Amino acid sequence: MAYSDKVREIYKEQLKDIENAGIFKQERFIHSTQAADIEVEYPAGSSLKKVINMCANNYLGLSSHPEVVKAAHEGLDSRGYGMSSVRFICGTQDIHNELEKKVSEFLGTENTILFPSCMDANAGVFEAILGSEDVMISDRLVHASIIDGIRLCSAERDTFKHSNMEHLEKKLQLHADKRLKVVITDGVFSMDGDCAKLDEMVALCAKYDAMLFVDESHASGFIGKTGRGTHEKYGVLGKIDIITTTFGKALGGASGGCVSGRKELVEICRQKARPYLFSNTIAPVVVSGVLKVLDILSRSTERRDKLEKNTEYWRKGLTEAGFVLKEGDTPIVPVMLFNAKLAQDVSRDLYEEGIYAIGFFFPVVSKGQARIRTQISAGHEIHHLDKALVAFNKVGKKYDILGKTKQAILDRYGQ
Ligand SMILES: *Cc1c(COP(=O)(O)O)cnc(C)c1O
């Protein structure tokens, strides 16, 4: 069918529905590097505004760290700009191999395979390692990219209630007769900032002869005493069969991801995972940057320690101000507003005060669970956090939500 007026109308209609629902996503243009202080053009065409970024995945403040930028430059000079090939034809350099070894060392795994992104790692891994005699049992709040990967795989699908170990055990019993069983979870859940109970999950998987898959995108580099991830925090290093993670968040924030874990599984991915076989290799400049990031993190825990301190300071400040927070101890700190419009209004007013933090509401989170998700970074200094706390206090007062319970906010604003 030609791209007729009728076709155009169908799409315009859909876009209008999105707008009417109040969830049309407007791009904001950042004119600076990614850091605690950024310059933003928003809405498009308006003059630049200096704001403090409270919503990047730049947990360790490495996105524009001078050492990382320098290493990337050196990589660019010595290995060039692009490889113009997928990995298995002629897209593998010595540094790709070196990075796979370094990532395995860092995560405490047997082997690692790089993917263009963690989205691609999640999209490719299940189909590569499972077949129709097998089952995938996933937490109901796993990341969208895992859901897509599960959809692409012919194994049977089942879920368990979020972090509910009794329910998971029931499902493991239900599927006892399957050839292979994989339990699937995020290490740190991106919307609530809570951690999967990996110690209990490892024990359950051992009891019922299942493999454990953990997506560590919001954990690698800073969760656990030396930042290895959620498996370090729960004392189960070396016991996770399949880890996926991204280099697009704490680990420099550029792009790329991987599957890391048991060596046979990784080898199967090298033979069969479609995004590995059919999508271009990670650019040398990015590989060089990530190598430097791992080098920095292996030298010292200074950055993840600072992140932990910043997070404590931030949580304490917001709690004292009287906001309702999601409980937890990760640098994902959701400020609960419950009502979608309220979340948007608070976000807009914070922006006016020079604080950049985004409102999340249905369908990204459930109805009645609207929030501002703040994310803390080792790139924040106390003066950033203090300024942000002043702004949150001012805006919280304006909407009369300080010291109010969830029910009181819901009574006043509705879902
Ligand atoms: C961000 C994220 C991804 C996607 O990572 P990319 O490398 O950007 O594709 C996958 N899983 C989880 C849990 C994430 O938070």
Side-chain angles (χ1 to χ4, degrees):
M1 201 201 324
Y3 201 79
S4 60
D5 284 350
K6 195 175 144 209
V7 178
R8 225 179 265 280
E9 277 316 309
I10 290 173
Y11 290 125
K12 279 189 180 160
E13 200 71 21
Q14 283 183 25
L15 288 167
K16 205 173 290 160
D17 286 347
I18 295 172
E19 255 188 85
N20 291 341
I23 55 173
F24 194 88
K25 291 179 275 303
Q26 208 86 47
E27 279 186 319
R28 301 146 169 100
F29 305 120
I30 295 177
H31 287 242
S32 55
T33 58
Q34 184 64 277
D37 297 294
I38 54 173
E39 281 191 276
V40 183
E41 174 193 342
Y42 178 71
S46 59
S47 56
L48 297 190
K49 189 171 167 67
K50 285 198 167 110
V51 292
I52 296 173
N53 195 351
M54 302 297 294
C55 57
N57 298 314
N58 183 19
Y59 295 112
L60 293 169
L62 291 171
S63 302
S64 30
H65 188 278
E67 268 192 73
V68 178
V69 173
K70 180 160 173 276
H73 274 295
E74 285 164 9
L76 186 60
D77 289 339
S78 69
R79 295 295 187 285
Y81 172 67
M83 285 303 290
S84 304
S85 170
V86 301
R87 281 289 301 278
F88 89 99
I89 298 179
C90 54
T92 303
Q93 291 169 316
D94 55 341
I95 54 172
H96 292 88
N97 182 40
E98 187 187 345
L99 180 57
E100 289 180 339
K101 291 208 163 72
K102 286 271 160 65
V103 169
S104 306
E105 233 168 77
F106 188 76
L107 296 176
T109 53
E110 292 174 6
N111 203 347
T112 297
I113 172 175
L114 305 180
F115 280 82
S117 69
C118 188
M119 171 104 198
D120 284 321
N122 289 338
V125 62
F126 302 111
E127 191 198 21
I129 64 169
L130 300 173
S132 52
E133 318 94 291
D134 308 325
V135 66
M136 304 173 278
I137 309 173
S138 57
D139 187 288
R140 287 188 184 160
L141 288 190
V142 292
H143 190 257
S145 57
I146 296 178
I147 294 171
D148 286 2
I150 287 173
R151 283 182 183 146
L152 289 169
C153 176
S154 64
E156 195 179 323
R157 303 161 198 176
D158 206 343
T159 61
F160 60 98
K161 291 179 200 159
H162 177 54
S163 274
N164 185 323
M165 295 298 109
E166 290 80 47
H167 199 218
L168 170 58
E169 182 156 21
K170 281 211 184 86
K171 291 299 174 88
L172 283 164
Q173 289 164 349
L174 181 68
H175 295 288
D177 61 333
K178 297 290 190 307
R179 185 187 66 159
L180 299 173
K181 300 176 271 291
V182 184
V183 173
I184 300 167
T185 186
D186 289 13
V188 172
F189 290 86
S190 57
M191 281 302 141
D192 290 353
D194 57 325
C195 297
K197 300 164 184 160
L198 288 190
D199 47 351
E200 294 180 50
M201 296 181 89
V202 164
L204 277 176
C205 286
K207 183 171 173 192
Y208 292 96
D209 209 13
M211 293 186 276
L212 183 54
F213 168 104
V214 185
D215 182 332
E216 285 280 272
S217 292
H218 284 281
S220 293
F222 56 97
I223 299 290
K225 276 270 168 286
T226 65
R228 313 287 151 155
T230 321
H231 55 333
E232 181 181 29
K233 173 171 172 153
Y234 285 93
V236 289
L237 267 171
K239 297 190 175 161
I240 312 297
D241 303 294
I242 314 155
I243 292 174
T244 60
T245 194
T246 182
F247 309 130
K249 291 188 170 109
L251 303 179
S255 70
C258 68
V259 171
S260 192
R262 308 292 179 195
K263 55 179 188 274
E264 297 79 12
L265 291 176
V266 170
E267 193 51 45
I268 294 272
C269 287
R270 246 181 254 284
Q271 302 307 316
K272 288 170 66 180
R274 294 170 70 83
Y276 174 84
L277 296 174
F278 298 115
S279 188
N280 201 27
T281 194
I282 306 181
V285 50
V286 175
V287 173
S288 305
V290 181
L291 278 168
K292 177 52 74 179
V293 166
L294 293 179
D295 182 36
I296 293 172
L297 299 187
S298 303
R299 282 203 308 257
S300 138
T301 60
E302 189 186 329
R303 302 190 84 81
R304 57 91 45 215
D305 297 344
K306 181 175 175 196
L307 174 60
E308 198 165 78
K309 286 220 171 67
N310 280 351
T311 300
E312 275 168 29
Y313 188 84
W314 180 242
R315 275 190 178 275
K316 185 161 172 281
L318 287 176
T319 304
E320 282 171 5
F323 284 99
V324 181
L325 306 182
K326 280 268 175 198
E327 301 243 334
D329 58 1
T330 70
I332 297 171
V333 185
V335 181
M336 300 307 292
L337 299 166
F338 310 107
N339 173 281
K341 179 159 187 307
L342 180 62
Q344 282 166 295
D345 289 345
V346 169
S347 171
R348 188 199 52 236
D349 287 10
L350 285 171
Y351 188 75
E352 286 305 310
E353 299 294 325
I355 304 303
Y356 189 37
I358 297 298
F360 287 85
F361 37 87
F362 184 80
V364 180
V365 293
S366 327
K367 287 210 166 108
Q369 287 287 311
R371 67 194 61 184
I372 304 266
R373 182 181 66 173
T374 60
Q375 290 169 284
I376 300 307
S377 169
H380 288 129
E381 301 301 334
I382 293 299
H383 68 84
H384 292 117
L385 301 180
D386 281 340
K387 185 167 175 216
L389 284 172
V390 168
F392 266 87
N393 265 294
K394 181 168 171 190
V395 176
K397 206 169 279 170
K398 171 174 168 187
Y399 291 96
D400 194 23
I401 50 177
L402 298 182
K404 297 287 192 290
T405 61
K406 171 181 179 179
Q407 199 51 52
I409 297 173
L410 278 170
D411 285 348
R412 167 139 187 208
Y413 290 96
Q415 282 209 350

